[in-house]
Amino acid sequence: MTGSLLEVIALDVRDAVAAEEGGADRIEVVADIASDGLTPAVETVAAISKECALPQMVMLRGEASFLAGPESLESLRRDARALAEAGAAGFVFGFLDQAGVVDLAATEALIHAVAPLPWTFHRAVDHAADVQAGWRAVRLLPNLATVLTSGSPNGVGDGLRILRTRCEAGDGPLIMAGGGLKPVHVPPLLEYGVRAFHVGGAVRASWDHPVEARRVREWRALID
């Protein structure tokens, strides 16, 4: 890996190949971006594995919310096993309860299901009722690779102050900045100590278009 970690959202093989060509370090594989990313098909992960050498961090999320009931969790456990066999290098998940508190029971159940693979706690932490308490809970969880966060439910532009505070609290090595990330945000984030960046829409003309290797290269140069 070069200076900073660059993760690119991939919806299919074409996206994954372009991300690799552009110099990404890894991809986050999701389905249904209109719902902010749901669990992709096993076939998608298997197909990417054949064409792309980048590690695949695969979304485990059954519905467009941060809640996880017993049935949903059991389904995600089964998905995790099948996706790991298909080539997932790690997973992306994280849950809140009805009160907006990090759902440790649900999250830990999936950590055990995907062990020993690493995982990312996704932007649920930005939507917690008490963000500081959410971070305190998340940062202690086992096998945690990164926390995908914009610092605010509204995106990185509104969350820079929170991200700076988190870095000052020692969480910089865990932070992967993403969610409305723009080139103008990168210099302050690097200054705070953020070294992992996550892009999706920023490396495409629109979500109806595939990832462009040229745009990935621009981000690669920017964060390095």
Side-chain angles (χ1 to χ4, degrees):
M1 194 182 83
T2 43
S4 295
L5 183 141
L6 178 60
E7 179 179 275
V8 172
I9 295 175
L11 304 176
D12 53 29
V13 174
R14 189 174 170 187
D15 284 350
V17 170
E20 185 173 26
E21 188 187 327
D25 296 297
R26 70 187 193 196
I27 52 177
E28 183 195 56
V29 186
V30 308
D32 194 0
I33 203 67
S35 299
D36 286 332
L38 301 180
T39 306
V42 172
E43 293 78 10
T44 301
V45 171
I48 289 172
S49 292
K50 289 178 182 168
E51 303 292 333
C52 171
L54 294 180
Q56 298 184 59
M57 298 294 287
V58 179
M59 180 67 79
L60 289 175
R61 188 169 178 241
E63 58 186 77
S65 82
F66 298 117
L67 302 173
E71 283 180 22
S72 171
L73 263 182
E74 191 47 49
S75 174
L76 292 175
R77 276 201 199 94
R78 288 194 299 272
D79 290 342
R81 283 193 292 271
L83 290 161
E85 286 173 13
F91 292 95
V92 183
F93 54 87
F95 308 103
L96 304 177
D97 64 19
Q98 296 279 6
V101 175
V102 172
D103 189 337
L104 289 176
T107 305
E108 287 173 350
L110 267 197
I111 293 170
H112 292 307
V114 307
L117 295 178
W119 63 286
T120 292
F121 194 98
H122 67 61
R123 288 187 59 207
V125 73
D126 296 334
H127 295 261
D130 181 335
V131 171
Q132 216 168 340
W135 269 93
R136 279 200 298 272
V138 167
R139 69 196 299 203
L140 298 174
L141 291 166
N143 291 339
L144 178 64
T146 41
V147 178
L148 175 57
T149 174
S150 55
S152 162
N154 302 318
V156 173
D158 284 355
L160 284 172
R161 184 181 57 80
I162 294 288
L163 294 175
R164 183 179 65 200
T165 300
R166 294 316 326 156
C167 287
E168 289 168 352
D171 293 329
L174 280 177
I175 289 173
M176 180 164 58
L181 183 68
K182 295 178 178 167
V184 70
H185 301 140
V186 171
L189 288 168
L190 287 170
E191 195 178 311
Y192 302 160
V194 173
R195 291 295 178 267
F197 298 86
H198 169 94
V199 290
V203 291
R204 323 163 175 263
S206 77
W207 282 109
D208 295 325
H209 294 76
V211 169
E212 296 178 32
R214 170 185 64 82
R215 293 177 188 246
V216 177
R217 272 192 291 274
E218 289 169 357
W219 276 92
R220 176 82 271 164
L222 184 66
I223 69 171
D224 287 342

PDB file of all heavy atoms in Angstrom, residues 125-148:
ATOM      1  N   VAL A 125     -22.419   4.692  12.948  1.00  0.00           N
ATOM      2  CA  VAL A 125     -21.892   5.460  14.088  1.00  0.00           C
ATOM      3  C   VAL A 125     -22.210   6.955  13.948  1.00  0.00           C
ATOM      4  O   VAL A 125     -22.410   7.658  14.944  1.00  0.00           O
ATOM      5  CB  VAL A 125     -20.369   5.217  14.266  1.00  0.00           C
ATOM      6  CG1 VAL A 125     -19.546   5.914  13.197  1.00  0.00           C
ATOM      7  CG2 VAL A 125     -19.901   5.637  15.656  1.00  0.00           C
ATOM      8  N   ASP A 126     -22.309   7.441  12.713  1.00  0.00           N
ATOM      9  CA  ASP A 126     -22.645   8.853  12.486  1.00  0.00           C
ATOM     10  C   ASP A 126     -24.100   9.163  12.837  1.00  0.00           C
ATOM     11  O   ASP A 126     -24.471  10.322  13.015  1.00  0.00           O
ATOM     12  CB  ASP A 126     -22.401   9.248  11.026  1.00  0.00           C
ATOM     13  CG  ASP A 126     -20.945   9.157  10.617  1.00  0.00           C
ATOM     14  OD1 ASP A 126     -20.075   9.279  11.498  1.00  0.00           O
ATOM     15  OD2 ASP A 126     -20.671   8.953   9.415  1.00  0.00           O
ATOM     16  N   HIS A 127     -24.916   8.124  12.885  1.00  0.00           N
ATOM     17  CA  HIS A 127     -26.354   8.295  13.140  1.00  0.00           C
ATOM     18  C   HIS A 127     -26.727   7.947  14.583  1.00  0.00           C
ATOM     19  O   HIS A 127     -27.902   7.946  14.932  1.00  0.00           O
ATOM     20  CB  HIS A 127     -27.159   7.416  12.171  1.00  0.00           C
ATOM     21  CG  HIS A 127     -27.003   7.824  10.732  1.00  0.00           C
ATOM     22  ND1 HIS A 127     -27.914   8.602  10.066  1.00  0.00           N
ATOM     23  CD2 HIS A 127     -26.016   7.570   9.846  1.00  0.00           C
ATOM     24  CE1 HIS A 127     -27.505   8.800   8.821  1.00  0.00           C
ATOM     25  NE2 HIS A 127     -26.356   8.188   8.668  1.00  0.00           N
ATOM     26  N   ALA A 128     -25.725   7.632  15.403  1.00  0.00           N
ATOM     27  CA  ALA A 128     -26.001   7.287  16.806  1.00  0.00           C
ATOM     28  C   ALA A 128     -26.595   8.488  17.544  1.00  0.00           C
ATOM     29  O   ALA A 128     -26.271   9.640  17.248  1.00  0.00           O
ATOM     30  CB  ALA A 128     -24.719   6.832  17.502  1.00  0.00           C
ATOM     31  N   ALA A 129     -27.455   8.205  18.517  1.00  0.00           N
ATOM     32  CA  ALA A 129     -28.069   9.278  19.312  1.00  0.00           C
ATOM     33  C   ALA A 129     -27.000  10.068  20.059  1.00  0.00           C
ATOM     34  O   ALA A 129     -27.082  11.287  20.188  1.00  0.00           O
ATOM     35  CB  ALA A 129     -29.076   8.673  20.287  1.00  0.00           C
ATOM     36  N   ASP A 130     -25.974   9.372  20.535  1.00  0.00           N
ATOM     37  CA  ASP A 130     -24.834  10.002  21.203  1.00  0.00           C
ATOM     38  C   ASP A 130     -23.578   9.510  20.482  1.00  0.00           C
ATOM     39  O   ASP A 130     -23.113   8.391  20.718  1.00  0.00           O
ATOM     40  CB  ASP A 130     -24.814   9.607  22.683  1.00  0.00           C
ATOM     41  CG  ASP A 130     -23.660  10.260  23.453  1.00  0.00           C
ATOM     42  OD1 ASP A 130     -22.640  10.617  22.839  1.00  0.00           O
ATOM     43  OD2 ASP A 130     -23.784  10.388  24.684  1.00  0.00           O
ATOM     44  N   VAL A 131     -23.059  10.337  19.592  1.00  0.00           N
ATOM     45  CA  VAL A 131     -21.943   9.914  18.739  1.00  0.00           C
ATOM     46  C   VAL A 131     -20.703   9.558  19.563  1.00  0.00           C
ATOM     47  O   VAL A 131     -20.017   8.569  19.295  1.00  0.00           O
ATOM     48  CB  VAL A 131     -21.614  11.012  17.703  1.00  0.00           C
ATOM     49  CG1 VAL A 131     -20.326  10.683  16.946  1.00  0.00           C
ATOM     50  CG2 VAL A 131     -22.777  11.164  16.722  1.00  0.00           C
ATOM     51  N   GLN A 132     -20.437  10.342  20.594  1.00  0.00           N
ATOM     52  CA  GLN A 132     -19.258  10.076  21.427  1.00  0.00           C
ATOM     53  C   GLN A 132     -19.370   8.715  22.118  1.00  0.00           C
ATOM     54  O   GLN A 132     -18.414   7.937  22.151  1.00  0.00           O
ATOM     55  CB  GLN A 132     -19.095  11.190  22.456  1.00  0.00           C
ATOM     56  CG  GLN A 132     -17.647  11.519  22.723  1.00  0.00           C
ATOM     57  CD  GLN A 132     -17.486  12.803  23.524  1.00  0.00           C
ATOM     58  OE1 GLN A 132     -18.387  13.636  23.578  1.00  0.00           O
ATOM     59  NE2 GLN A 132     -16.339  12.956  24.148  1.00  0.00           N
ATOM     60  N   ALA A 133     -20.552   8.431  22.648  1.00  0.00           N
ATOM     61  CA  ALA A 133     -20.771   7.130  23.297  1.00  0.00           C
ATOM     62  C   ALA A 133     -20.678   6.011  22.263  1.00  0.00           C
ATOM     63  O   ALA A 133     -20.156   4.923  22.548  1.00  0.00           O
ATOM     64  CB  ALA A 133     -22.142   7.107  23.976  1.00  0.00           C
ATOM     65  N   GLY A 134     -21.171   6.272  21.057  1.00  0.00           N
ATOM     66  CA  GLY A 134     -21.082   5.291  19.980  1.00  0.00           C
ATOM     67  C   GLY A 134     -19.636   4.935  19.665  1.00  0.00           C
ATOM     68  O   GLY A 134     -19.281   3.763  19.550  1.00  0.00           O
ATOM     69  N   TRP A 135     -18.799   5.950  19.570  1.00  0.00           N
ATOM     70  CA  TRP A 135     -17.379   5.706  19.307  1.00  0.00           C
ATOM     71  C   TRP A 135     -16.722   4.936  20.445  1.00  0.00           C
ATOM     72  O   TRP A 135     -15.902   4.052  20.206  1.00  0.00           O
ATOM     73  CB  TRP A 135     -16.659   7.036  19.090  1.00  0.00           C
ATOM     74  CG  TRP A 135     -16.638   7.425  17.639  1.00  0.00           C
ATOM     75  CD1 TRP A 135     -17.523   8.217  16.983  1.00  0.00           C
ATOM     76  CD2 TRP A 135     -15.667   7.013  16.673  1.00  0.00           C
ATOM     77  NE1 TRP A 135     -17.169   8.326  15.668  1.00  0.00           N
ATOM     78  CE2 TRP A 135     -16.035   7.606  15.450  1.00  0.00           C
ATOM     79  CE3 TRP A 135     -14.528   6.209  16.720  1.00  0.00           C
ATOM     80  CZ2 TRP A 135     -15.302   7.410  14.278  1.00  0.00           C
ATOM     81  CZ3 TRP A 135     -13.799   6.018  15.556  1.00  0.00           C
ATOM     82  CH2 TRP A 135     -14.187   6.611  14.355  1.00  0.00           C
ATOM     83  N   ARG A 136     -17.074   5.280  21.668  1.00  0.00           N
ATOM     84  CA  ARG A 136     -16.485   4.566  22.820  1.00  0.00           C
ATOM     85  C   ARG A 136     -16.792   3.074  22.742  1.00  0.00           C
ATOM     86  O   ARG A 136     -15.950   2.235  23.050  1.00  0.00           O
ATOM     87  CB  ARG A 136     -17.015   5.137  24.136  1.00  0.00           C
ATOM     88  CG  ARG A 136     -16.320   6.413  24.579  1.00  0.00           C
ATOM     89  CD  ARG A 136     -16.513   6.681  26.059  1.00  0.00           C
ATOM     90  NE  ARG A 136     -17.915   6.862  26.396  1.00  0.00           N
ATOM     91  CZ  ARG A 136     -18.561   8.028  26.355  1.00  0.00           C
ATOM     92  NH1 ARG A 136     -17.911   9.131  25.993  1.00  0.00           N
ATOM     93  NH2 ARG A 136     -19.835   8.117  26.669  1.00  0.00           N
ATOM     94  N   ALA A 137     -18.018   2.743  22.309  1.00  0.00           N
ATOM     95  CA  ALA A 137     -18.421   1.340  22.198  1.00  0.00           C
ATOM     96  C   ALA A 137     -17.723   0.650  21.025  1.00  0.00           C
ATOM     97  O   ALA A 137     -17.209  -0.459  21.157  1.00  0.00           O
ATOM     98  CB  ALA A 137     -19.939   1.253  22.023  1.00  0.00           C
ATOM     99  N   VAL A 138     -17.681   1.325  19.896  1.00  0.00           N
ATOM    100  CA  VAL A 138     -17.178   0.697  18.662  1.00  0.00           C
ATOM    101  C   VAL A 138     -15.676   0.453  18.714  1.00  0.00           C
ATOM    102  O   VAL A 138     -15.187  -0.605  18.304  1.00  0.00           O
ATOM    103  CB  VAL A 138     -17.536   1.581  17.441  1.00  0.00           C
ATOM    104  CG1 VAL A 138     -16.779   1.137  16.200  1.00  0.00           C
ATOM    105  CG2 VAL A 138     -19.041   1.552  17.192  1.00  0.00           C
ATOM    106  N   ARG A 139     -14.920   1.402  19.234  1.00  0.00           N
ATOM    107  CA  ARG A 139     -13.453   1.329  19.133  1.00  0.00           C
ATOM    108  C   ARG A 139     -12.872   0.132  19.890  1.00  0.00           C
ATOM    109  O   ARG A 139     -11.729  -0.269  19.629  1.00  0.00           O
ATOM    110  CB  ARG A 139     -12.837   2.636  19.651  1.00  0.00           C
ATOM    111  CG  ARG A 139     -12.996   2.825  21.133  1.00  0.00           C
ATOM    112  CD  ARG A 139     -12.748   4.247  21.573  1.00  0.00           C
ATOM    113  NE  ARG A 139     -11.401   4.697  21.263  1.00  0.00           N
ATOM    114  CZ  ARG A 139     -10.804   5.698  21.903  1.00  0.00           C
ATOM    115  NH1 ARG A 139     -11.444   6.326  22.886  1.00  0.00           N
ATOM    116  NH2 ARG A 139      -9.585   6.069  21.592  1.00  0.00           N
ATOM    117  N   LEU A 140     -13.639  -0.444  20.825  1.00  0.00           N
ATOM    118  CA  LEU A 140     -13.147  -1.575  21.625  1.00  0.00           C
ATOM    119  C   LEU A 140     -13.509  -2.934  21.041  1.00  0.00           C
ATOM    120  O   LEU A 140     -13.129  -3.971  21.585  1.00  0.00           O
ATOM    121  CB  LEU A 140     -13.716  -1.468  23.053  1.00  0.00           C
ATOM    122  CG  LEU A 140     -13.308  -0.213  23.829  1.00  0.00           C
ATOM    123  CD1 LEU A 140     -14.044  -0.141  25.153  1.00  0.00           C
ATOM    124  CD2 LEU A 140     -11.794  -0.179  24.040  1.00  0.00           C
ATOM    125  N   LEU A 141     -14.232  -2.954  19.923  1.00  0.00           N
ATOM    126  CA  LEU A 141     -14.694  -4.225  19.367  1.00  0.00           C
ATOM    127  C   LEU A 141     -13.538  -4.986  18.695  1.00  0.00           C
ATOM    128  O   LEU A 141     -12.654  -4.369  18.088  1.00  0.00           O
ATOM    129  CB  LEU A 141     -15.829  -3.978  18.365  1.00  0.00           C
ATOM    130  CG  LEU A 141     -17.133  -3.484  19.010  1.00  0.00           C
ATOM    131  CD1 LEU A 141     -18.084  -2.936  17.968  1.00  0.00           C
ATOM    132  CD2 LEU A 141     -17.801  -4.617  19.795  1.00  0.00           C
ATOM    133  N   PRO A 142     -13.534  -6.319  18.780  1.00  0.00           N
ATOM    134  CA  PRO A 142     -12.412  -7.108  18.243  1.00  0.00           C
ATOM    135  C   PRO A 142     -12.384  -7.149  16.712  1.00  0.00           C
ATOM    136  O   PRO A 142     -13.416  -7.050  16.045  1.00  0.00           O
ATOM    137  CB  PRO A 142     -12.672  -8.514  18.810  1.00  0.00           C
ATOM    138  CG  PRO A 142     -14.114  -8.548  19.162  1.00  0.00           C
ATOM    139  CD  PRO A 142     -14.517  -7.153  19.498  1.00  0.00           C
ATOM    140  N   ASN A 143     -11.158  -7.297  16.175  1.00  0.00           N
ATOM    141  CA  ASN A 143     -10.910  -7.456  14.728  1.00  0.00           C
ATOM    142  C   ASN A 143     -11.370  -6.262  13.890  1.00  0.00           C
ATOM    143  O   ASN A 143     -11.528  -6.382  12.677  1.00  0.00           O
ATOM    144  CB  ASN A 143     -11.573  -8.733  14.180  1.00  0.00           C
ATOM    145  CG  ASN A 143     -10.917  -9.982  14.701  1.00  0.00           C
ATOM    146  OD1 ASN A 143      -9.769  -9.950  15.150  1.00  0.00           O
ATOM    147  ND2 ASN A 143     -11.630 -11.088  14.666  1.00  0.00           N
ATOM    148  N   LEU A 144     -11.594  -5.115  14.537  1.00  0.00           N
ATOM    149  CA  LEU A 144     -12.054  -3.928  13.820  1.00  0.00           C
ATOM    150  C   LEU A 144     -10.908  -3.357  12.995  1.00  0.00           C
ATOM    151  O   LEU A 144      -9.860  -3.015  13.528  1.00  0.00           O
ATOM    152  CB  LEU A 144     -12.555  -2.891  14.828  1.00  0.00           C
ATOM    153  CG  LEU A 144     -13.032  -1.546  14.281  1.00  0.00           C
ATOM    154  CD1 LEU A 144     -14.262  -1.727  13.411  1.00  0.00           C
ATOM    155  CD2 LEU A 144     -13.335  -0.578  15.431  1.00  0.00           C
ATOM    156  N   ALA A 145     -11.121  -3.256  11.680  1.00  0.00           N
ATOM    157  CA  ALA A 145     -10.086  -2.725  10.787  1.00  0.00           C
ATOM    158  C   ALA A 145     -10.213  -1.215  10.642  1.00  0.00           C
ATOM    159  O   ALA A 145      -9.224  -0.486  10.769  1.00  0.00           O
ATOM    160  CB  ALA A 145     -10.189  -3.393   9.411  1.00  0.00           C
ATOM    161  N   THR A 146     -11.427  -0.754  10.357  1.00  0.00           N
ATOM    162  CA  THR A 146     -11.657   0.670  10.143  1.00  0.00           C
ATOM    163  C   THR A 146     -13.093   1.014  10.530  1.00  0.00           C
ATOM    164  O   THR A 146     -13.960   0.137  10.597  1.00  0.00           O
ATOM    165  CB  THR A 146     -11.456   1.064   8.655  1.00  0.00           C
ATOM    166  OG1 THR A 146     -12.016   0.058   7.813  1.00  0.00           O
ATOM    167  CG2 THR A 146     -10.010   1.260   8.297  1.00  0.00           C
ATOM    168  N   VAL A 147     -13.329   2.304  10.757  1.00  0.00           N
ATOM    169  CA  VAL A 147     -14.687   2.813  10.952  1.00  0.00           C
ATOM    170  C   VAL A 147     -14.963   3.769   9.799  1.00  0.00           C
ATOM    171  O   VAL A 147     -14.282   4.784   9.653  1.00  0.00           O
ATOM    172  CB  VAL A 147     -14.830   3.559  12.300  1.00  0.00           C
ATOM    173  CG1 VAL A 147     -16.246   4.122  12.446  1.00  0.00           C
ATOM    174  CG2 VAL A 147     -14.503   2.631  13.465  1.00  0.00           C
ATOM    175  N   LEU A 148     -15.929   3.414   8.954  1.00  0.00           N
ATOM    176  CA  LEU A 148     -16.321   4.298   7.856  1.00  0.00           C
ATOM    177  C   LEU A 148     -17.203   5.393   8.433  1.00  0.00           C
ATOM    178  O   LEU A 148     -18.284   5.132   8.952  1.00  0.00           O
ATOM    179  CB  LEU A 148     -17.074   3.519   6.778  1.00  0.00           C
ATOM    180  CG  LEU A 148     -17.646   4.346   5.632  1.00  0.00           C
ATOM    181  CD1 LEU A 148     -16.567   5.149   4.926  1.00  0.00           C
ATOM    182  CD2 LEU A 148     -18.376   3.455   4.631  1.00  0.00           C
TER     183      LEU A 148
END
